[in-house]
């Protein structure tokens, strides 16, 4: 049965821009009471967080997240009651309201890491990472960014190095255009492709704007169009697609 605690009625949120006016509204999902207690202690020690609910299985999480106006769900990747990868996709996609996801795990393999990121998870850490790493990850995710623990980032790079790049150009022998992701990337304008590469190489919006002599708003507008063309929900997915299609090298 789903266990919910600490539910509050007020749904005060920050605006689309400017400084956050309220703490990040969190949900914790883990089957083990001791783990939930430890996470609760971490968040209660931080003034920027408000722990709204705790659950011990994920069966009712999507409706619960939307009903409570949650901003970030911190979930055990082995949470009972649901396929957590599918759950992450459900929480982070579709119409508003949506809830970002940070996943915690005792162990991970590269396929699970890539699957979680492609499903829309924006944070991925091991349970034995430091509490301050989790705090930084949630703050980054709540600010629209993404964060992986160093070990997880290493697994992503290793997985991408082993994934052969897909062709980006027309096959001159058959004159057939590329399909799938490569075709979508081929639909980008030269400027969009340039910005897509820079994002995949780790440049921030500010750094891209300074390099290209444009405003950050222009960079964001370009990335929004890139995301729509490529079906992306964030920078992590952009990095994965760029590596997979040979736009940047895994060793860079």
């Amino acid at each position: 049965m789903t266990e919910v605690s600490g539910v509050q009625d007020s749904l005060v949120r920050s605006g689309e821009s400017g400084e956050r006016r309220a703490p990040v509204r969190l949900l914790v999902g883990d089957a083990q009471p001791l783990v939930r207690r430890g996470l609760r202690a971490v968040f209660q020690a931080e003034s920027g967080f408000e722990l709204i609910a705790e659950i011990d299985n994920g069966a009712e999480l999507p409706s619960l997240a939307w009903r409570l106006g949650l901003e970030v769900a911190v979930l055990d990747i082995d949470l009972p009651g649901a396929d957590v990868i599918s759950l992450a996709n459900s929480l982070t996609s579709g119409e508003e309201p949506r809830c970002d996801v940070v996943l915690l795990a005792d162990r991970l393999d590269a396929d699970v890491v890539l699957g979680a990121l492609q499903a829309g998870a924006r944070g991925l850490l091991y349970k034995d990472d430091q509490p301050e790493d989790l705090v930084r990850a949630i703050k980054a995710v709540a600010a629209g960014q993404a964060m992986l623990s160093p070990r997880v980032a290493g697994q992503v790079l290793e997985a991408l190095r082993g994934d052969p790049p897909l062709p980006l150009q027309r096959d001159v022998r058959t004159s057939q255009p590329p399909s799938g992701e490569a075709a979508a990337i081929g639909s980008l304008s030269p400027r969009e492709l340039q910005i897509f590469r820079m994002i995949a190489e780790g440049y921030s919006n500010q750094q891209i704007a300074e390099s290209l002599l444009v405003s950050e708003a222009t960079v964001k507008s370009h990335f929004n169009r890139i995301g729509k063309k490529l079906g992306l929900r964030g920078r992590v997915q952009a990095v994965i697609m760029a590596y997979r299609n040979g736009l940047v090298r895994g060793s860079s």
Side-chain angles (χ1 to χ4, degrees):
M1 175 179 288
T2 301
E3 171 191 338
V4 180
S5 63
V7 178
Q8 301 187 15
D9 294 329
S10 61
L11 300 179
V12 181
R13 287 177 174 268
S14 63
E16 290 293 324
S17 61
E19 295 298 321
R20 175 174 294 278
R21 296 194 300 269
V24 180
R25 297 172 64 85
L26 296 174
L27 174 143
V28 166
D30 197 291
Q32 301 181 39
L34 286 178
V35 173
R36 296 200 304 273
R37 180 181 295 180
L39 292 173
R40 186 190 316 144
V42 170
F43 300 138
Q44 287 176 342
E46 294 288 329
S47 60
F49 297 136
E50 184 179 7
L51 183 57
I52 301 299
E54 301 175 22
I55 61 172
D56 57 14
N57 76 76
E60 300 175 7
L61 181 51
S63 61
L64 183 67
W66 297 326
R67 178 163 57 86
L68 299 180
L70 298 172
E71 295 174 83
V72 180
V74 182
L75 307 175
D76 176 12
I77 202 166
D78 295 317
L79 183 68
D83 176 348
V84 174
I85 303 300
S86 298
L87 192 57
N89 185 67
S90 175
L91 291 171
T92 60
S93 63
E95 299 297 326
E96 298 287 352
R98 49 170 284 161
C99 175
D100 288 314
V101 173
V102 173
L103 296 178
L104 304 178
D106 291 310
R107 58 191 180 280
L108 287 166
D109 59 42
D111 289 341
V112 172
V113 170
L114 290 179
L117 296 177
Q118 289 172 323
R122 301 179 69 120
L124 196 52
L125 298 92
Y126 282 95
K127 286 187 177 181
D128 61 357
D129 285 331
Q130 295 299 313
E132 52 266 31
D133 292 333
L134 177 59
V135 168
R136 282 196 296 270
I138 294 173
K139 288 181 178 178
V141 167
Q145 302 168 11
M147 181 171 168
L148 310 179
S149 76
R151 283 181 291 168
V152 173
Q155 286 181 283
V156 172
L157 291 177
E158 288 301 321
L160 292 171
R161 286 190 187 106
D163 205 359
L166 299 176
L168 291 179
Q169 303 298 326
R170 182 183 297 270
D171 187 331
V172 297
R173 295 169 299 177
T174 63
S175 296
Q176 293 299 314
S179 61
E181 289 182 356
I185 293 171
S187 73
L188 299 179
S189 70
R191 175 65 91 183
E192 289 170 345
L193 182 59
Q194 183 182 24
I195 290 175
F196 182 50
R197 287 180 184 271
M198 295 181 77
I199 288 170
E201 290 169 354
Y203 288 88
S204 68
N205 286 346
Q206 180 180 355
Q207 290 171 324
I208 295 172
E210 291 174 353
S211 176
L212 301 182
L213 302 179
V214 298
S215 69
E216 286 190 59
T218 298
V219 175
K220 292 178 182 178
S221 178
H222 277 299
F223 186 61
N224 286 338
R225 288 196 294 271
I226 292 166
K228 290 180 181 179
K229 287 183 178 182
L230 303 184
L232 303 172
R233 288 196 298 276
R235 284 174 173 260
V236 171
Q237 290 187 337
V239 172
I240 290 173
M241 184 179 292
Y243 274 95
R244 187 163 54 216
N245 286 273
L247 288 175
V248 289
R249 295 183 180 275
S251 58
S252 64

